[in-house]
Amino acid sequence: MRLDCLTLRGFRNYEQAHLEFSPGVNLILGENAQGKTNLLEAIYYLSTGHGFRTRKEAELIRFGAEFADFSCTVTGRQRQQTLRAVLFSGRKSRQLFLNGVKRKTQAELMGVLTTVLFCPEDLLVLKAGASARRRLMDQGLCQLRPRYEAALQEYNRILEQKSRILRSRYENPSLLQVLPEYSQRLCQVGAILISYRARYLQSLGQEATKFHREFSGGRETLEIPYRTVSTISDPFAPVSRLEEELFAHLQSHYQGELESAQCLTGPHKDDFDATLEGLSLKSYGSQGQTRTAAISLKLAQRELFRRDTGEEPVLLLDDVLSELDPGRQDFVLNQIQSGQVFITCCEPGRLTKIGTSFHIEKGSILE
Ligand code: ATP
Ligand code: MG
């Protein structure tokens, strides 16, 4: 899969820009705050239907502009397609186009452009809070499985509604009658999430272990066991059983949820551990080990895409290389030799030899 060109109008700090890319490594160079990450964000949006630094569409529209209009041409499976998004600053909802035809949902654009994004925060993902790891699972799964994305959106919607009922339990006690209904529905959809996540983490773990082993000269074995609701005895069990087990746990927390006015249990608390020889990286890992494991996870994500879709996803590396020591830089650069890659960095140094460079200054591409 390859991104041929990108056109931006009113996106972030770009008034107007057009870039034609190379099928290999594309280096996006420039000083701080010039628009390097913004460029990756536009690519990521066309790939996934949202930005990676914000969920607020208004932030993606250039200050003072009424809309952002951005598009790209993608070649995959011997076929060229165009993706386009138009975001409006007012209430008007966004418009998405595939090959010039308006589409209602992002799901219809799924798979046209798949990307794996890697940014400095990802290097810390194994030390950070659980939400960072849930995001990693969700990002990977949403691009691979449209049904997962739909289930995740529904889960979050029910969760939000249930939380609202819990918060207003004193002002609006009659609403508590519908609480069991919401809990039941939450378990139904939650069971689907758990089922997908267990399978995804299993495959991701297998691939990540290989990368990490190679990285550590065969010395270390990385494992990423799934941690979900404690009543789930086997996350690979049929969804109906997962649902029952989830419900049992919810019921035992009924009083607690009422008292705290929070949804206390469910896959919205999911996590995964990362261990080397059984020892948790979070508690015992050195900085280098943690970074190495995080890189292995990202490379594994890319590998799963390739395996699943038969195509190489476009790799977006935002500022990552500058955070790595030369040994790890070399490992990453060796692993990414195939496929198309976008790398942003401030100091080009030795990198400039490896690909086509674009110099960005204040939202303009310098020739
Ligand atoms: P760094 O090297 O520090 O990561 P960068 O080149 O990646 O820098 P970006 O994050 O791409 O920088 O761009 C940041 C700039 O874009 C900031 O100056 C910010 O004010 C500007 N910017 C962000 N959103 C908008 C917007 N909606 N309209 C106009 N400018 C914006
Ligand atoms: Mg940046």
Short mmCIF file of all heavy atoms in Angstrom, two decimals, residues 200-260:
data_model
loop_
_atom_site.label_atom_id
_atom_site.label_comp_id
_atom_site.label_asym_id
_atom_site.label_seq_id
_atom_site.Cartn_x
_atom_site.Cartn_y
_atom_site.Cartn_z
N TYR A 200 -6.69 -10.72 19.55
CA TYR A 200 -5.72 -9.76 19.00
C TYR A 200 -4.43 -9.78 19.81
O TYR A 200 -3.33 -9.85 19.26
CB TYR A 200 -6.34 -8.36 19.00
CG TYR A 200 -5.43 -7.31 18.40
CD1 TYR A 200 -5.14 -7.34 17.04
CD2 TYR A 200 -4.86 -6.31 19.18
CE1 TYR A 200 -4.31 -6.38 16.47
CE2 TYR A 200 -4.03 -5.35 18.62
CZ TYR A 200 -3.76 -5.40 17.26
OH TYR A 200 -2.92 -4.46 16.72
N LEU A 201 -4.55 -9.74 21.14
CA LEU A 201 -3.36 -9.71 21.98
C LEU A 201 -2.55 -10.99 21.84
O LEU A 201 -1.32 -10.98 21.92
CB LEU A 201 -3.74 -9.51 23.45
CG LEU A 201 -3.96 -8.07 23.88
CD1 LEU A 201 -4.24 -8.01 25.36
CD2 LEU A 201 -2.76 -7.19 23.55
N GLN A 202 -3.23 -12.09 21.62
CA GLN A 202 -2.52 -13.35 21.45
C GLN A 202 -1.62 -13.27 20.20
O GLN A 202 -0.43 -13.58 20.25
CB GLN A 202 -3.51 -14.50 21.32
CG GLN A 202 -2.84 -15.85 21.34
CD GLN A 202 -3.86 -16.97 21.16
OE1 GLN A 202 -4.72 -16.91 20.27
NE2 GLN A 202 -3.77 -17.98 22.00
N SER A 203 -2.20 -12.84 19.08
CA SER A 203 -1.40 -12.75 17.86
C SER A 203 -0.34 -11.66 17.98
O SER A 203 0.80 -11.84 17.53
CB SER A 203 -2.27 -12.40 16.64
OG SER A 203 -3.46 -13.09 16.67
N LEU A 204 -0.71 -10.54 18.57
CA LEU A 204 0.26 -9.45 18.72
C LEU A 204 1.44 -9.91 19.56
O LEU A 204 2.59 -9.64 19.26
CB LEU A 204 -0.44 -8.26 19.39
CG LEU A 204 0.32 -6.94 19.38
CD1 LEU A 204 0.35 -6.35 17.98
CD2 LEU A 204 -0.32 -5.92 20.33
N GLY A 205 1.12 -10.65 20.63
CA GLY A 205 2.16 -11.16 21.52
C GLY A 205 3.12 -12.07 20.80
O GLY A 205 4.34 -11.97 20.95
N GLN A 206 2.58 -12.95 19.96
CA GLN A 206 3.45 -13.89 19.24
C GLN A 206 4.43 -13.14 18.34
O GLN A 206 5.62 -13.45 18.31
CB GLN A 206 2.60 -14.84 18.38
CG GLN A 206 1.96 -15.94 19.21
CD GLN A 206 0.80 -16.61 18.48
OE1 GLN A 206 0.43 -16.22 17.37
NE2 GLN A 206 0.21 -17.61 19.12
N GLU A 207 3.92 -12.14 17.62
CA GLU A 207 4.80 -11.36 16.74
C GLU A 207 5.79 -10.51 17.54
O GLU A 207 6.97 -10.44 17.20
CB GLU A 207 3.97 -10.46 15.81
CG GLU A 207 3.17 -11.21 14.77
CD GLU A 207 4.03 -12.07 13.87
OE1 GLU A 207 5.17 -11.67 13.56
OE2 GLU A 207 3.57 -13.16 13.49
N ALA A 208 5.29 -9.86 18.59
CA ALA A 208 6.16 -8.98 19.38
C ALA A 208 7.30 -9.76 20.02
O ALA A 208 8.43 -9.27 20.12
CB ALA A 208 5.34 -8.25 20.44
N THR A 209 7.00 -10.98 20.44
CA THR A 209 8.03 -11.81 21.05
C THR A 209 9.19 -12.03 20.07
O THR A 209 10.36 -11.96 20.44
CB THR A 209 7.44 -13.18 21.46
OG1 THR A 209 6.32 -12.93 22.30
CG2 THR A 209 8.44 -14.03 22.20
N LYS A 210 8.84 -12.27 18.81
CA LYS A 210 9.89 -12.50 17.80
C LYS A 210 10.76 -11.27 17.63
O LYS A 210 11.99 -11.36 17.62
CB LYS A 210 9.24 -12.84 16.45
CG LYS A 210 8.65 -14.23 16.38
CD LYS A 210 8.21 -14.52 14.95
CE LYS A 210 6.89 -15.29 14.94
NZ LYS A 210 6.14 -15.15 13.70
N PHE A 211 10.11 -10.10 17.48
CA PHE A 211 10.89 -8.87 17.30
C PHE A 211 11.77 -8.62 18.51
O PHE A 211 12.94 -8.30 18.39
CB PHE A 211 9.97 -7.66 17.08
CG PHE A 211 9.41 -7.60 15.70
CD1 PHE A 211 8.06 -7.75 15.48
CD2 PHE A 211 10.25 -7.38 14.60
CE1 PHE A 211 7.54 -7.69 14.19
CE2 PHE A 211 9.73 -7.32 13.32
CZ PHE A 211 8.37 -7.48 13.11
N HIS A 212 11.18 -8.78 19.69
CA HIS A 212 11.94 -8.46 20.91
C HIS A 212 13.13 -9.41 21.07
O HIS A 212 14.20 -9.01 21.51
CB HIS A 212 11.03 -8.52 22.14
CG HIS A 212 11.68 -7.93 23.36
ND1 HIS A 212 11.52 -6.62 23.73
CD2 HIS A 212 12.55 -8.47 24.25
CE1 HIS A 212 12.24 -6.38 24.81
NE2 HIS A 212 12.87 -7.48 25.16
N ARG A 213 12.92 -10.65 20.71
CA ARG A 213 14.00 -11.62 20.83
C ARG A 213 15.17 -11.23 19.93
O ARG A 213 16.32 -11.22 20.33
CB ARG A 213 13.48 -13.02 20.49
CG ARG A 213 14.50 -14.09 20.83
CD ARG A 213 13.88 -15.46 20.85
NE ARG A 213 12.97 -15.65 21.98
CZ ARG A 213 11.85 -16.36 21.92
NH1 ARG A 213 11.49 -16.92 20.78
NH2 ARG A 213 11.10 -16.51 22.97
N GLU A 214 14.82 -10.84 18.70
CA GLU A 214 15.85 -10.44 17.75
C GLU A 214 16.59 -9.20 18.25
O GLU A 214 17.81 -9.11 18.20
CB GLU A 214 15.16 -10.12 16.42
CG GLU A 214 16.05 -10.23 15.21
CD GLU A 214 15.25 -9.91 13.95
OE1 GLU A 214 14.09 -10.37 13.84
OE2 GLU A 214 15.78 -9.18 13.11
N PHE A 215 15.81 -8.28 18.74
CA PHE A 215 16.31 -7.02 19.27
C PHE A 215 17.30 -7.25 20.42
O PHE A 215 18.31 -6.57 20.56
CB PHE A 215 15.10 -6.26 19.83
CG PHE A 215 15.07 -4.82 19.50
CD1 PHE A 215 13.87 -4.17 19.32
CD2 PHE A 215 16.24 -4.07 19.39
CE1 PHE A 215 13.80 -2.83 19.03
CE2 PHE A 215 16.19 -2.73 19.10
CZ PHE A 215 14.97 -2.11 18.92
N SER A 216 16.98 -8.21 21.28
CA SER A 216 17.79 -8.40 22.49
C SER A 216 18.83 -9.49 22.27
O SER A 216 19.35 -10.06 23.23
CB SER A 216 16.87 -8.79 23.66
OG SER A 216 16.21 -10.01 23.38
N GLY A 217 19.11 -9.78 21.02
CA GLY A 217 20.13 -10.79 20.73
C GLY A 217 19.73 -12.17 21.24
O GLY A 217 20.59 -12.93 21.68
N GLY A 218 18.43 -12.47 21.22
CA GLY A 218 17.95 -13.79 21.62
C GLY A 218 17.89 -14.00 23.12
O GLY A 218 17.59 -15.08 23.58
N ARG A 219 18.14 -12.97 23.89
CA ARG A 219 18.23 -13.16 25.34
C ARG A 219 16.88 -13.06 26.05
O ARG A 219 16.69 -13.69 27.07
CB ARG A 219 19.18 -12.12 25.95
CG ARG A 219 20.66 -12.45 25.72
CD ARG A 219 21.53 -11.55 26.59
NE ARG A 219 21.27 -10.14 26.35
CZ ARG A 219 21.88 -9.42 25.41
NH1 ARG A 219 22.78 -9.96 24.64
NH2 ARG A 219 21.59 -8.14 25.25
N GLU A 220 15.96 -12.24 25.53
CA GLU A 220 14.76 -11.95 26.33
C GLU A 220 13.47 -12.42 25.67
O GLU A 220 13.30 -12.30 24.48
CB GLU A 220 14.66 -10.43 26.57
CG GLU A 220 15.82 -9.90 27.39
CD GLU A 220 15.81 -8.38 27.50
OE1 GLU A 220 15.04 -7.72 26.77
OE2 GLU A 220 16.59 -7.85 28.31
N THR A 221 12.58 -12.95 26.50
CA THR A 221 11.28 -13.39 26.01
C THR A 221 10.19 -12.46 26.53
O THR A 221 9.94 -12.38 27.73
CB THR A 221 10.97 -14.83 26.48
OG1 THR A 221 12.06 -15.65 26.07
CG2 THR A 221 9.68 -15.34 25.85
N LEU A 222 9.58 -11.76 25.58
CA LEU A 222 8.51 -10.82 25.93
C LEU A 222 7.15 -11.51 25.84
O LEU A 222 6.87 -12.23 24.89
CB LEU A 222 8.55 -9.64 24.94
CG LEU A 222 7.39 -8.65 24.98
CD1 LEU A 222 7.44 -7.81 26.25
CD2 LEU A 222 7.43 -7.74 23.75
N GLU A 223 6.33 -11.30 26.86
CA GLU A 223 4.95 -11.81 26.81
C GLU A 223 3.99 -10.68 27.19
O GLU A 223 4.35 -9.81 27.99
CB GLU A 223 4.77 -12.99 27.77
CG GLU A 223 5.44 -14.25 27.23
CD GLU A 223 5.37 -15.40 28.23
OE1 GLU A 223 5.95 -15.24 29.33
OE2 GLU A 223 4.73 -16.40 27.93
N ILE A 224 2.80 -10.71 26.61
CA ILE A 224 1.83 -9.64 26.92
C ILE A 224 0.47 -10.23 27.31
O ILE A 224 -0.49 -10.15 26.55
CB ILE A 224 1.69 -8.63 25.76
CG1 ILE A 224 1.43 -9.33 24.41
CG2 ILE A 224 2.90 -7.75 25.63
CD1 ILE A 224 0.92 -8.36 23.34
N PRO A 225 0.38 -10.82 28.50
CA PRO A 225 -0.89 -11.42 28.93
C PRO A 225 -2.00 -10.38 29.11
O PRO A 225 -1.76 -9.29 29.61
CB PRO A 225 -0.53 -12.08 30.26
CG PRO A 225 0.68 -11.37 30.75
CD PRO A 225 1.43 -10.92 29.54
N TYR A 226 -3.19 -10.79 28.69
CA TYR A 226 -4.38 -9.93 28.76
C TYR A 226 -4.92 -9.90 30.18
O TYR A 226 -5.00 -10.92 30.85
CB TYR A 226 -5.41 -10.55 27.79
CG TYR A 226 -6.73 -9.83 27.65
CD1 TYR A 226 -6.84 -8.45 27.78
CD2 TYR A 226 -7.89 -10.55 27.32
CE1 TYR A 226 -8.06 -7.81 27.60
CE2 TYR A 226 -9.10 -9.91 27.13
CZ TYR A 226 -9.19 -8.54 27.29
OH TYR A 226 -10.39 -7.92 27.11
N ARG A 227 -5.27 -8.71 30.64
CA ARG A 227 -5.89 -8.57 31.97
C ARG A 227 -7.28 -7.96 31.81
O ARG A 227 -7.41 -6.80 31.46
CB ARG A 227 -5.06 -7.62 32.84
CG ARG A 227 -3.63 -8.06 33.02
CD ARG A 227 -3.46 -8.96 34.23
NE ARG A 227 -2.09 -9.41 34.36
CZ ARG A 227 -1.68 -10.65 34.09
NH1 ARG A 227 -2.53 -11.56 33.65
NH2 ARG A 227 -0.42 -11.00 34.24
N THR A 228 -8.27 -8.78 32.06
CA THR A 228 -9.64 -8.25 31.96
C THR A 228 -10.39 -8.51 33.27
O THR A 228 -9.76 -8.84 34.28
CB THR A 228 -10.36 -8.84 30.71
OG1 THR A 228 -11.64 -8.20 30.59
CG2 THR A 228 -10.51 -10.34 30.76
N VAL A 229 -11.69 -8.35 33.24
CA VAL A 229 -12.52 -8.51 34.44
C VAL A 229 -12.24 -9.86 35.12
O VAL A 229 -12.16 -10.89 34.45
CB VAL A 229 -14.01 -8.42 34.03
CG1 VAL A 229 -14.91 -8.65 35.23
CG2 VAL A 229 -14.28 -7.06 33.40
N SER A 230 -12.11 -9.83 36.46
CA SER A 230 -11.59 -11.00 37.16
C SER A 230 -12.50 -12.23 37.09
O SER A 230 -12.02 -13.36 37.22
CB SER A 230 -11.31 -10.66 38.62
OG SER A 230 -12.52 -10.30 39.24
N THR A 231 -13.79 -12.05 36.84
CA THR A 231 -14.67 -13.23 36.77
C THR A 231 -14.56 -13.96 35.43
O THR A 231 -15.12 -15.05 35.28
CB THR A 231 -16.15 -12.83 36.97
OG1 THR A 231 -16.39 -11.68 36.18
CG2 THR A 231 -16.46 -12.56 38.42
N ILE A 232 -13.88 -13.37 34.46
CA ILE A 232 -13.72 -14.03 33.16
C ILE A 232 -12.68 -15.14 33.32
O ILE A 232 -11.50 -14.87 33.54
CB ILE A 232 -13.24 -13.03 32.07
CG1 ILE A 232 -14.22 -11.87 31.92
CG2 ILE A 232 -12.99 -13.75 30.75
CD1 ILE A 232 -15.48 -12.19 31.19
N SER A 233 -13.15 -16.38 33.22
CA SER A 233 -12.21 -17.48 33.46
C SER A 233 -11.39 -17.77 32.21
O SER A 233 -10.23 -18.17 32.30
CB SER A 233 -12.98 -18.73 33.91
OG SER A 233 -14.08 -18.93 33.05
N ASP A 234 -11.98 -17.58 31.03
CA ASP A 234 -11.25 -17.82 29.80
C ASP A 234 -11.76 -16.84 28.74
O ASP A 234 -12.88 -17.00 28.24
CB ASP A 234 -11.48 -19.27 29.34
CG ASP A 234 -10.92 -19.52 27.95
OD1 ASP A 234 -10.08 -18.71 27.48
OD2 ASP A 234 -11.34 -20.52 27.33
N PRO A 235 -10.96 -15.82 28.39
CA PRO A 235 -11.46 -14.81 27.45
C PRO A 235 -11.71 -15.35 26.04
O PRO A 235 -12.32 -14.69 25.22
CB PRO A 235 -10.35 -13.76 27.44
CG PRO A 235 -9.14 -14.45 27.92
CD PRO A 235 -9.60 -15.52 28.86
N PHE A 236 -11.25 -16.59 25.77
CA PHE A 236 -11.50 -17.20 24.47
C PHE A 236 -12.82 -17.99 24.46
O PHE A 236 -13.19 -18.56 23.44
CB PHE A 236 -10.35 -18.14 24.08
CG PHE A 236 -9.05 -17.41 23.85
CD1 PHE A 236 -8.13 -17.30 24.88
CD2 PHE A 236 -8.77 -16.82 22.63
CE1 PHE A 236 -6.94 -16.60 24.68
CE2 PHE A 236 -7.59 -16.13 22.42
CZ PHE A 236 -6.67 -16.02 23.46
N ALA A 237 -13.49 -18.04 25.60
CA ALA A 237 -14.75 -18.78 25.70
C ALA A 237 -15.81 -18.13 24.80
O ALA A 237 -15.64 -16.98 24.38
CB ALA A 237 -15.23 -18.77 27.15
N PRO A 238 -16.91 -18.85 24.50
CA PRO A 238 -17.97 -18.26 23.68
C PRO A 238 -18.49 -16.96 24.29
O PRO A 238 -18.51 -16.82 25.52
CB PRO A 238 -19.07 -19.33 23.70
CG PRO A 238 -18.38 -20.59 24.05
CD PRO A 238 -17.18 -20.25 24.88
N VAL A 239 -18.89 -16.04 23.41
CA VAL A 239 -19.31 -14.72 23.87
C VAL A 239 -20.44 -14.80 24.90
O VAL A 239 -20.48 -14.02 25.86
CB VAL A 239 -19.72 -13.86 22.65
CG1 VAL A 239 -20.33 -12.55 23.09
CG2 VAL A 239 -18.51 -13.60 21.78
N SER A 240 -21.34 -15.80 24.74
CA SER A 240 -22.46 -15.88 25.68
C SER A 240 -21.96 -16.16 27.10
O SER A 240 -22.50 -15.64 28.07
CB SER A 240 -23.43 -16.98 25.24
OG SER A 240 -22.74 -18.20 25.12
N ARG A 241 -20.91 -16.99 27.18
CA ARG A 241 -20.38 -17.26 28.52
C ARG A 241 -19.68 -16.02 29.10
O ARG A 241 -19.82 -15.70 30.28
CB ARG A 241 -19.43 -18.45 28.50
CG ARG A 241 -19.12 -18.84 29.93
CD ARG A 241 -18.68 -20.25 30.13
NE ARG A 241 -17.30 -20.20 30.57
CZ ARG A 241 -16.35 -20.97 30.10
NH1 ARG A 241 -16.62 -21.87 29.17
NH2 ARG A 241 -15.13 -20.86 30.54
N LEU A 242 -18.94 -15.33 28.24
CA LEU A 242 -18.28 -14.10 28.70
C LEU A 242 -19.32 -13.12 29.25
O LEU A 242 -19.12 -12.49 30.28
CB LEU A 242 -17.53 -13.43 27.55
CG LEU A 242 -16.40 -14.23 26.89
CD1 LEU A 242 -15.76 -13.42 25.76
CD2 LEU A 242 -15.35 -14.62 27.92
N GLU A 243 -20.44 -13.07 28.55
CA GLU A 243 -21.49 -12.14 28.95
C GLU A 243 -22.01 -12.48 30.35
O GLU A 243 -22.16 -11.60 31.20
CB GLU A 243 -22.62 -12.24 27.92
CG GLU A 243 -23.67 -11.19 28.07
CD GLU A 243 -24.81 -11.39 27.07
OE1 GLU A 243 -24.54 -11.84 25.93
OE2 GLU A 243 -25.95 -11.13 27.45
N GLU A 244 -22.24 -13.77 30.58
CA GLU A 244 -22.73 -14.19 31.91
C GLU A 244 -21.72 -13.83 33.00
O GLU A 244 -22.08 -13.35 34.07
CB GLU A 244 -22.95 -15.71 31.94
CG GLU A 244 -24.23 -16.15 31.29
CD GLU A 244 -24.21 -17.66 31.00
OE1 GLU A 244 -23.49 -18.39 31.71
OE2 GLU A 244 -24.90 -18.07 30.05
N GLU A 245 -20.46 -14.11 32.69
CA GLU A 245 -19.43 -13.86 33.72
C GLU A 245 -19.26 -12.37 34.00
O GLU A 245 -19.04 -11.96 35.13
CB GLU A 245 -18.11 -14.50 33.28
CG GLU A 245 -18.20 -16.02 33.31
CD GLU A 245 -16.95 -16.72 32.76
OE1 GLU A 245 -16.14 -16.08 32.07
OE2 GLU A 245 -16.80 -17.91 33.03
N LEU A 246 -19.41 -11.58 32.95
CA LEU A 246 -19.34 -10.13 33.13
C LEU A 246 -20.49 -9.66 34.01
O LEU A 246 -20.32 -8.83 34.90
CB LEU A 246 -19.46 -9.42 31.78
CG LEU A 246 -18.20 -9.19 30.96
CD1 LEU A 246 -18.55 -8.43 29.69
CD2 LEU A 246 -17.19 -8.40 31.76
N PHE A 247 -21.66 -10.22 33.73
CA PHE A 247 -22.85 -9.79 34.45
C PHE A 247 -22.75 -10.14 35.93
O PHE A 247 -23.13 -9.36 36.80
CB PHE A 247 -24.11 -10.40 33.82
CG PHE A 247 -25.35 -9.65 34.20
CD1 PHE A 247 -25.57 -8.37 33.72
CD2 PHE A 247 -26.30 -10.22 35.04
CE1 PHE A 247 -26.71 -7.66 34.09
CE2 PHE A 247 -27.43 -9.51 35.41
CZ PHE A 247 -27.64 -8.23 34.93
N ALA A 248 -22.19 -11.31 36.20
CA ALA A 248 -22.01 -11.72 37.59
C ALA A 248 -21.14 -10.69 38.33
O ALA A 248 -21.44 -10.29 39.46
CB ALA A 248 -21.34 -13.09 37.64
N HIS A 249 -20.10 -10.26 37.66
CA HIS A 249 -19.20 -9.30 38.30
C HIS A 249 -19.89 -7.95 38.49
O HIS A 249 -19.76 -7.32 39.55
CB HIS A 249 -17.95 -9.12 37.43
CG HIS A 249 -16.77 -8.64 38.22
ND1 HIS A 249 -16.18 -7.42 37.98
CD2 HIS A 249 -16.07 -9.21 39.24
CE1 HIS A 249 -15.17 -7.27 38.82
NE2 HIS A 249 -15.08 -8.33 39.60
N LEU A 250 -20.66 -7.55 37.50
CA LEU A 250 -21.38 -6.28 37.60
C LEU A 250 -22.35 -6.30 38.77
O LEU A 250 -22.45 -5.35 39.54
CB LEU A 250 -22.16 -6.04 36.32
CG LEU A 250 -21.69 -4.91 35.41
CD1 LEU A 250 -22.64 -4.71 34.26
CD2 LEU A 250 -21.51 -3.62 36.20
N GLN A 251 -23.06 -7.43 38.89
CA GLN A 251 -24.05 -7.51 39.97
C GLN A 251 -23.40 -7.42 41.33
O GLN A 251 -23.92 -6.77 42.23
CB GLN A 251 -24.85 -8.80 39.84
CG GLN A 251 -25.99 -8.61 38.86
CD GLN A 251 -26.90 -9.80 38.81
OE1 GLN A 251 -26.43 -10.93 38.80
NE2 GLN A 251 -28.20 -9.56 38.77
N SER A 252 -22.24 -8.02 41.46
CA SER A 252 -21.57 -7.96 42.77
C SER A 252 -21.07 -6.54 43.06
O SER A 252 -20.68 -6.23 44.17
CB SER A 252 -20.41 -8.97 42.83
OG SER A 252 -19.39 -8.55 41.97
N HIS A 253 -21.06 -5.68 42.04
CA HIS A 253 -20.62 -4.30 42.25
C HIS A 253 -21.77 -3.30 42.22
O HIS A 253 -21.55 -2.10 42.17
CB HIS A 253 -19.59 -3.91 41.19
CG HIS A 253 -18.24 -4.49 41.43
ND1 HIS A 253 -17.96 -5.82 41.21
CD2 HIS A 253 -17.09 -3.95 41.90
CE1 HIS A 253 -16.71 -6.06 41.53
NE2 HIS A 253 -16.16 -4.95 41.95
N TYR A 254 -23.01 -3.84 42.24
CA TYR A 254 -24.17 -2.96 42.09
C TYR A 254 -24.17 -1.85 43.14
O TYR A 254 -24.27 -0.67 42.83
CB TYR A 254 -25.46 -3.78 42.18
CG TYR A 254 -26.70 -2.95 42.04
CD1 TYR A 254 -27.08 -2.45 40.80
CD2 TYR A 254 -27.48 -2.63 43.16
CE1 TYR A 254 -28.21 -1.65 40.66
CE2 TYR A 254 -28.61 -1.83 43.03
CZ TYR A 254 -28.98 -1.35 41.79
OH TYR A 254 -30.09 -0.57 41.67
N GLN A 255 -24.01 -2.26 44.39
CA GLN A 255 -24.05 -1.29 45.49
C GLN A 255 -22.90 -0.29 45.37
O GLN A 255 -23.07 0.92 45.53
CB GLN A 255 -23.99 -2.04 46.84
CG GLN A 255 -24.64 -1.30 48.00
CD GLN A 255 -26.07 -0.87 47.69
OE1 GLN A 255 -26.83 -1.60 47.04
NE2 GLN A 255 -26.44 0.34 48.10
N GLY A 256 -21.74 -0.81 45.06
CA GLY A 256 -20.55 0.03 44.92
C GLY A 256 -20.73 1.07 43.81
O GLY A 256 -20.33 2.23 43.96
N GLU A 257 -21.35 0.65 42.72
CA GLU A 257 -21.55 1.59 41.61
C GLU A 257 -22.52 2.69 42.01
O GLU A 257 -22.33 3.85 41.66
CB GLU A 257 -22.08 0.84 40.37
CG GLU A 257 -21.02 -0.06 39.74
CD GLU A 257 -21.34 -0.47 38.30
OE1 GLU A 257 -22.53 -0.60 37.97
OE2 GLU A 257 -20.38 -0.66 37.53
N LEU A 258 -23.55 2.29 42.75
CA LEU A 258 -24.52 3.30 43.21
C LEU A 258 -23.84 4.31 44.14
O LEU A 258 -24.03 5.51 44.02
CB LEU A 258 -25.65 2.62 43.98
CG LEU A 258 -26.85 2.14 43.18
CD1 LEU A 258 -27.92 1.62 44.12
CD2 LEU A 258 -27.40 3.27 42.31
N GLU A 259 -23.02 3.78 45.04
CA GLU A 259 -22.38 4.67 46.02
C GLU A 259 -21.36 5.59 45.37
O GLU A 259 -21.27 6.77 45.70
CB GLU A 259 -21.73 3.85 47.14
CG GLU A 259 -22.74 3.41 48.18
CD GLU A 259 -22.27 2.23 49.01
OE1 GLU A 259 -21.05 2.01 49.08
OE2 GLU A 259 -23.14 1.52 49.56
N SER A 260 -20.58 5.04 44.44
CA SER A 260 -19.52 5.86 43.85
C SER A 260 -20.01 6.62 42.62
O SER A 260 -19.31 7.50 42.12
CB SER A 260 -18.35 4.98 43.45
OG SER A 260 -18.76 4.08 42.44
#
